[in-house]
Amino acid sequence: MGYIELDVLDGAPRRIVIGIDLGTTNSLAALWEDDRPVILRQEGSSGIIPSVINFPAEGAPLVGKQARAQAVVDPQHTLFSVKRLLGRGLADLRGELKDLPYAISENANGVLEIEVRGQTYTPPELSALILRATCDEACAAFENAEIASAVITVPAYFDDAQRQATRDAARLAGIEVLRIVNEPTAASLAYGLDQKGEGTVAIYDLGGGTFDVSILSIEGGVFRVLATNGDTQLGGDDFDRVIVELIREDLAGELSAEDLADPAFLQAARLAAEKCKIALSSDPRHEVHLSLPDIGLNWRHRVTREEFEKRISPLVDRTMDCCRRALADAGIEPSELDEVVLVGGSTRVPLVRARTEEFFGRPPHTELNPDEVVALGAAAQAQVLMGGTRDILLMDVTPLSLGLETVGGAVSKLIERNSTVPCSVTEGFTTYVDGQSGIDFNIVQGEREMAADCRSLGRFKLTGLPPMPAGMARVAVCFHIDANGLLTVTAKEETSGVRTEIEVSPSHGLSEGDMEAMLQAGFDNASEDFDRRRVADLKAEIGTMLLAVKKNQTAADEKLDPESHKELADAAARASKACDGDDLDEIRSARDEFEQASLPLAAVLMDHVVKGAIQGKSLDEV
Ligand code: ADP
Ligand code: MG
């Protein structure tokens, strides 16, 4: 059997490792099985979960198809496209807010809050509901299964805050994230493009509400994003709107202006329009049927593919402009591409296929279902990470440079864009004023020269420096990006040993406190189910920590003082023992104690890293 199975005990649920495409419009999950990825779905279902949430007057929120069905009758309590809000602030949404029908505000941490029925929800909480529904659908494909961990995909252009928010969503959903992977990378994997040696590929992704195109280079299993371009306000919904317009034009003589603007009419027209669009992908013509007895409407109208294509042609042209810009940014000609991949449900439209083929000068890959290809690739990635058969080293690169604001507002880049992750870079900084007792750091992401033009990921302060003449402090700042593309920053003054451990909480991210509170709120009204997932999650966390301690046993034996050494050993034993049981509180406090007891070891290891990085540099250099 090709399942990835972990700790399968008799009668215990099968623990599976899946790939999840958390989409703006639709989400779905896949699993590696019998040497290939397959979509997880219940009998008779497509497996696709519309990324829609409805909050009914009473009871639990509805997610997916059921929620989407409420759009007509209950639009005020139905949320679409929450992915657009992940890791963003109000200022980021300036241009988009007018199109969002819900009440949005920003809390003190700059995290958005969406108000529905007098309750507020953050984007990660909402995405967690979608992730949970997707996992439930995936588990329902089996008799007895639960998710051990998952690879989750994000657009290549997602910045640190957006990736972190995706991670937060998973944590709130009780899912352990194995890796966050770029969607175009996943699509390339689904087609096995990594196995063809070196190459340059274009991934054209036209979904429900967004378009993006990525140019990737693949070399020795390393995926590099050479360029991305796109339009976050262009997708299949616009194709639907084109047909809605056509319907309204035709009905203009028959219905009053009031009826034509009626929400119920518009919703019905929108649903009929999508149905028509989908039909026209396979048929040359389709009869739209609208029946609204309330306003005495029973209307039929034939739409031809030709007519539809004429109307969407300008929209498709816009995607081609983006492709042209992406290629120019990457500095390559269409003829230099080795492969072109179509992703997203809207690439089923024949005109889109024809235009892309014409533009790129070669037939694009369309063998896999375009709305499934990202999830399939995520499952392939999960298989690789679980030590599966595919013999490649798979890595992503950072999409944007990371650095610190220096005196005068310029940016000092520590990690250049397109660096392969995971990676660490340490750079030396110093004080500018005699007796300066602290240094402020502003962590920025972006390619521009001035910090004001980049995105600030967060600020931190190194305090408690002993009085020293200007320029004498030797502060080593280390940027570490893990395999998920997430950043941790540490700073230490070398001569005095003063250090700050900084959690880079993105400007629009949840704080650890928020997170705990949300998780706690989850427990409070939780079903046993949730507790079970949390227990599994914590056990996995403890497992990782035990491994890390084991790996660094020599350092611990040699460098730790006897007291810390004993504390660590005891805490590890307690944590390990707690994992034999299923008591949530016990496991959680064991985890917390273990974490606390491992801090001295972490400090020893970090010291080692910083010293190594600083060694051999003169004072002027650091
Ligand atoms: P996202 O990545 O934005 O979550 P998807 O890749 O699932 O979205 O694409 C959803 C879009 O694809 C919707 O606008 C849907 O109407 C459209 N779509 C799905 N099937 C077809 C089809 N057969 N023909 C045309 N459009 C389709
Ligand atoms: Mg998508």
Side-chain angles (χ1 to χ4, degrees):
M1 292 259 281
Y3 300 122
I4 302 165
E5 295 185 23
L6 296 175
D7 314 319
V8 180
L9 307 171
D10 281 342
R14 166 184 293 149
R15 307 199 65 213
I16 52 176
V17 177
I18 60 172
I20 302 176
D21 171 6
L22 178 62
T24 311
T25 317
N26 294 311
S27 300
L28 77 167
L31 172 78
W32 190 269
E33 187 183 17
D34 296 333
D35 292 329
R36 69 200 169 91
V38 289
I39 295 295
L40 291 173
R41 54 179 130 234
Q42 281 172 276
E43 194 84 13
S45 146
S46 68
I48 292 179
I49 307 286
S51 306
V52 184
I53 307 164
N54 172 264
F55 291 88
E58 269 170 33
L62 304 174
V63 182
K65 279 198 197 71
Q66 277 178 300
R68 209 172 105 130
Q70 295 302 309
V72 186
V73 283
D74 191 21
Q76 305 96 304
H77 306 116
T78 307
L79 307 184
F80 289 86
S81 301
V82 291
K83 183 173 174 179
R84 293 182 187 280
L85 309 178
L86 279 175
R88 316 287 298 280
L90 275 184
D92 299 321
L93 295 172
R94 233 172 288 142
E96 296 168 34
L97 264 188
K98 59 176 187 339
D99 301 323
L100 295 172
Y102 20 95
I104 299 188
S105 56
E106 206 178 72
N107 73 13
N109 286 341
V111 176
L112 294 177
E113 292 184 333
I114 296 99
E115 193 183 325
V116 193
R117 292 197 190 277
Q119 277 258 54
T120 57
Y121 303 89
T122 62
E125 286 176 282
L126 297 170
S127 295
L129 294 173
I130 296 166
L131 278 173
R132 206 51 248 165
T134 309
C135 285
D136 289 346
E137 168 80 19
C139 285
F142 299 91
E143 233 163 53
N144 186 16
E146 64 182 35
I147 310 297
S149 60
V151 166
I152 303 179
T153 57
V154 296
Y157 59 79
F158 256 31
D159 66 19
D160 204 66
Q162 292 167 296
R163 284 164 202 263
Q164 183 63 53
T166 305
R167 216 166 217 280
D168 289 346
R171 195 165 150 204
L172 290 169
I175 300 165
E176 194 205 334
V177 178
L178 196 55
R179 180 79 59 95
I180 301 279
V181 175
N182 288 335
E183 287 163 13
T185 301
S188 313
L189 276 178
Y191 277 109
L193 302 187
D194 55 296
Q195 291 168 315
K196 296 194 172 175
E198 292 175 22
T200 309
V201 304
I203 316 291
Y204 175 106
D205 183 346
L206 188 59
T210 58
F211 169 67
D212 52 275
V213 54
S214 309
I215 313 295
L216 307 184
S217 87
I218 307 174
E219 205 184 319
V222 177
F223 287 72
R224 234 166 260 280
V225 183
L226 300 181
T228 67
N229 208 296
D231 187 334
T232 55
Q233 303 293 329
L234 177 60
D237 298 346
D238 297 291
F239 295 173
D240 301 346
R241 241 166 259 141
V242 156
I243 299 178
V244 169
E245 264 324 294
L246 196 147
I247 294 173
R248 293 185 53 175
E249 278 168 26
D250 200 81
L251 279 171
E254 208 167 312
L255 291 184
S256 67
E258 202 175 53
D259 282 340
L260 283 174
D262 181 63
F265 166 77
L266 283 175
Q267 272 298 347
R270 207 166 290 156
L271 289 178
E274 187 181 10
K275 199 170 151 207
C276 172
K277 170 188 76 176
I278 289 175
L280 290 177
S281 288
S282 43
D283 308 330
R285 65 188 67 81
H286 177 79
E287 192 172 70
V288 183
H289 182 199
L290 267 187
S291 165
L292 284 165
D294 281 357
I295 53 174
L297 182 72
N298 190 7
W299 176 84
R300 287 174 192 277
H301 181 84
R302 207 167 72 171
V303 181
T304 64
R305 185 189 288 171
E306 204 185 337
E307 194 178 356
F308 172 62
E309 291 190 337
K310 211 168 101 204
R311 291 192 179 226
I312 62 165
S313 183
L315 296 169
V316 181
D317 285 344
R318 270 167 60 195
T319 69
M320 294 305 149
D321 293 339
C322 295
C323 294
R324 214 165 280 126
R325 281 196 293 270
L327 283 172
D329 284 352
I332 59 170
E333 297 291 326
S335 59
E336 292 173 76
L337 289 171
D338 297 292
E339 317 265 355
V340 177
V341 175
L342 297 191
V343 181
S346 301
T347 62
R348 289 177 189 262
V349 171
L351 181 71
V352 172
R353 295 199 171 181
R355 281 288 173 79
T356 45
E357 176 161 353
E358 188 189 333
F359 177 84
F360 290 108
R362 76 193 58 236
H365 280 285
T366 53
E367 308 91 288
L368 297 172
N369 282 331
D371 28 23
E372 296 179 349
V373 67
V374 169
L376 294 172
Q381 166 83 77
Q383 159 77 357
V384 171
L385 291 173
M386 294 307 292
T389 49
R390 209 139 144 179
D391 187 20
I392 51 160
L393 174 69
L394 194 61
M395 284 186 277
D396 258 315
V397 297
T398 57
L400 296 165
S401 300
L402 290 161
L404 289 171
E405 176 173 355
T406 59
V407 175
V411 176
S412 163
K413 278 185 193 162
L414 273 82
I415 297 181
E416 295 285 338
R417 72 185 286 259
N418 274 339
S419 301
T420 309
V421 297
C423 64
S424 282
V425 174
T426 304
E427 205 170 291
F429 289 84
T430 190
T431 44
Y432 290 87
V433 182
D434 285 345
Q436 190 176 335
S437 66
I439 305 179
D440 282 306
F441 293 99
N442 178 19
I443 304 163
V444 295
Q445 181 168 40
E447 306 313 311
R448 305 281 297 273
E449 298 298 320
M450 298 305 290
D453 299 322
C454 294
R455 184 181 173 96
S456 170
L457 292 182
R459 292 170 185 275
F460 70 95
K461 195 167 186 153
L462 180 66
T463 51
L465 297 180
M468 277 188 271
M472 284 305 285
R474 300 173 9 133
V475 178
V477 178
C478 173
F479 276 40
H480 172 75
I481 305 187
D482 70 10
N484 301 304
L486 295 174
L487 175 69
T488 345
V489 178
T490 47
K492 188 185 175 202
E493 201 287 310
E494 276 292 290
T495 40
S496 62
V498 173
R499 65 159 70 242
T500 323
E501 261 127 21
I502 318 102
E503 285 166 23
V504 185
S505 35
S507 299
H508 302 295
L510 300 175
S511 71
E512 194 53 30
D514 292 341
M515 198 70 183
E516 280 302 322
M518 285 171 186
L519 287 168
Q520 194 56 49
F523 299 140
D524 294 345
N525 25 14
S527 55
E528 262 180 24
D529 230 287
F530 191 92
D531 282 358
R532 262 205 4 245
R533 285 199 301 272
R534 184 73 180 131
V535 163
D537 207 350
L538 283 167
K539 282 186 181 176
E541 214 173 301
I542 290 175
T544 313
M545 289 163 69
L546 285 169
L547 266 180
V549 168
K550 199 165 152 210
K551 203 175 122 214
N552 294 296
Q553 194 64 54
T554 324
D557 293 342
E558 286 173 12
K559 302 244 170 67
L560 284 182
D561 59 277
E563 197 181 319
S564 307
H565 190 274
K566 182 168 182 314
E567 265 175 25
L568 180 59
D570 291 349
R574 260 199 308 280
S576 168
K577 184 153 173 293
C579 286
D580 291 342
D582 281 311
D583 186 317
L584 177 61
D585 289 334
E586 192 180 324
I587 296 176
R588 190 168 30 200
S589 70
R591 192 272 320 254
D592 290 348
E593 267 179 50
F594 189 15
E595 199 168 316
Q596 200 59 36
S598 64
L599 286 179
L601 177 60
V604 163
L605 297 172
M606 184 46 73
D607 243 9
H608 186 69
V609 171
V610 173
K611 281 211 181 94
I614 282 199
Q615 235 161 35
K617 287 191 182 177
S618 76
L619 201 58
D620 300 349
E621 287 175 81
V622 298

